Amino acid sequence: MKFRLLSLVLVMSGLTAVQAAEVNVYSARQQELIKPLLDKFSQQSGIKVNLITGKPDELLSRMQSEGRNSPADLLISTDVGRLYRAQQLGLLQPLKSNTLEQAIPAALRDPAGHWFGLTTRARPIIYVTGKVDPKDLSTYEDLAAPKWRGKICIRSSDNIYNQSMLAGMIAVLGEEKTQAWANGLVKNFAQPPKGGDRDQIKAAAAGVCDIAIANTYYLAAMFDDPKDAAAAKAVSVFWPNQSDRGAHINISGAAVAKFAPNAKQAAQLLEYMSGAEAQAWYAQTNHEYPVVAGVARSSVLQGFGEFKADALPLIKLGELNQQAIQVMDKAGWK
């Protein structure tokens, strides 16, 4: 009888441990863009997900101040630049995972396993249909030509997406040529940079400029928003640099926190997010390009057409971030 009671206690203790399994996620993605996926993970794994959302830099500062006492297990960010920054600040730990290495292309993850891309984000040229002849478009470099004077809308230089785009150019063209390009681009601004990517697209549709540079998922989401759908329908996507390096891409991604109290569960969640189910959800719900081969894109993304993407290892975007900022500052890019 005592043996049976002891066995029951052990079984009940085991069940309690399973039920108590959890993972703490610090996410720079908005709650509505990530929570449904985390809920699916919880339903399938039995692991509770505690979600904290915030602005990327605020989350990094929080992790720094918390230090070894940080409850963060998994950091989700919206740009490789900030994942690289978190790595340099000593906030991440490397993860060895055959699942992640097989699913995610090498260029879209840290070589040492500190961070992994979960979606691809493309930043092409978006032009006003009927106002710009796509035959006049070719490369990012061409946007610095005098023919585009006063015709370009783009976000400010403190935007990490633009910083990463410039870092990618430095990696390929060198700092001197990228500086000349930035100088010419700034002369072609239709207005002082302000607002987000959607604002650039809406400005183009409203006649403020002819061309906007923006991430495709912003444009795709505008088709789903009644107040922005008309602006989205007024523009088209042009994929630059298709005869050479390809269009600039970035990632949203995730990493296991340095002092993660639930590192095993964090790795489990990260592997789940690289799986076919999660990748399909990202593609259909958030209109981002899957990093895993064979996962279908949303119908809106398919409508933007096929394109050649820059194959540059994305770690370069983090390594060259400071040079990119310096180039933009010298060009007078506000």
Side-chain angles (χ1 to χ4, degrees):
M1 183 68 179
K2 289 183 178 179
F3 177 78
R4 292 179 62 185
L5 285 173
L6 178 60
S7 297
L8 182 60
V9 169
L10 291 174
V11 169
M12 293 303 294
S13 297
L15 287 174
T16 301
V18 171
Q19 292 170 349
E22 63 180 12
V23 59
N24 302 311
V25 176
Y26 281 20
S27 174
R29 304 210 67 154
Q30 297 175 15
Q31 182 167 312
E32 62 269 22
L33 299 180
I34 191 65
K35 191 174 186 303
L37 188 61
L38 301 180
D39 289 342
K40 286 186 177 182
F41 169 74
S42 293
Q43 291 167 7
Q44 294 181 22
S45 67
I47 298 173
K48 179 184 178 182
V49 178
N50 303 309
L51 177 63
I52 294 175
T53 60
K55 294 181 179 179
D57 290 331
E58 291 175 355
L59 292 176
L60 297 189
S61 295
R62 177 171 179 165
M63 291 174 70
Q64 276 188 289
S65 64
E66 290 170 342
R68 290 181 176 273
N69 297 318
S70 177
D73 293 311
L74 193 73
L75 172 68
I76 298 176
S77 195
T78 54
D79 181 277
V80 68
R82 286 196 175 91
L83 288 170
Y84 181 82
R85 190 176 301 167
Q87 178 184 346
Q88 294 303 298
L89 290 171
L91 301 177
L92 310 179
Q93 63 173 280
L95 171 64
K96 178 66 177 177
S97 166
N98 291 333
T99 298
L100 294 171
E101 290 173 10
Q102 291 173 11
I104 302 170
L108 305 182
R109 51 183 165 85
D110 174 48
H114 285 91
W115 47 263
F116 298 84
L118 295 174
T119 66
T120 300
R121 324 179 110 191
R123 195 166 182 76
I125 296 169
I126 296 172
Y127 66 95
V128 179
T129 310
K131 195 173 183 181
V132 174
D133 187 341
K135 293 180 181 178
D136 293 332
L137 297 168
S138 57
T139 62
Y140 292 109
E141 291 90 318
D142 182 64
L143 296 181
K147 66 181 179 181
W148 301 116
R149 191 64 47 86
K151 296 182 178 181
I152 296 175
C153 288
I154 191 169
R155 289 170 81 156
S156 69
S157 61
D158 64 5
N159 173 247
I160 192 72
Y161 304 147
N162 286 336
Q163 293 172 10
S164 292
M165 184 176 70
L166 266 287
M169 294 185 77
I170 291 172
V172 176
L173 303 177
E175 190 168 336
E176 184 177 342
K177 288 184 178 179
T178 303
Q179 185 68 65
W181 176 80
N183 294 345
L185 186 74
V186 169
K187 292 178 181 177
N188 292 344
F189 287 175
Q191 61 180 1
K194 59 181 179 180
D197 276 14
R198 281 198 190 204
D199 295 306
Q200 315 311 312
I201 297 168
K202 289 190 282 189
V208 175
C209 50
D210 295 350
I211 290 171
I213 297 179
N215 289 353
T216 49
Y217 63 88
Y218 285 109
L219 175 59
M222 290 172 69
F223 284 97
D224 299 331
D225 190 333
K227 71 178 186 299
D228 289 340
K233 293 174 183 177
V235 300
S236 299
V237 172
F238 180 85
W239 297 106
N241 297 85
Q242 294 302 282
S243 62
D244 47 59
R245 67 180 181 276
H248 172 71
I249 61 167
N250 207 316
I251 56 167
S252 71
V256 179
K258 174 73 171 180
F259 303 109
N262 305 292
K264 182 179 178 181
Q265 288 78 10
Q268 194 172 337
L269 174 54
L270 190 44
E271 289 178 345
Y272 169 77
M273 294 171 81
S274 73
E277 179 183 43
Q279 288 288 301
W281 184 87
Y282 266 126
Q284 299 302 321
T285 306
N286 293 351
H287 299 298
E288 295 181 60
Y289 293 94
V291 296
V292 176
V295 178
R297 301 171 179 177
S298 71
S299 58
V300 178
L301 291 187
Q302 290 178 33
F304 294 160
E306 296 295 322
F307 69 98
K308 175 184 176 181
D310 192 341
L312 180 75
L314 294 192
I315 192 170
K316 288 291 184 183
L317 306 187
E319 292 173 346
L320 296 170
N321 177 267
Q322 289 304 309
Q323 283 118 297
I325 293 174
Q326 291 170 6
V327 165
M328 299 165 96
D329 287 344
K330 289 179 183 177
W333 189 332
K334 302 300 183 183

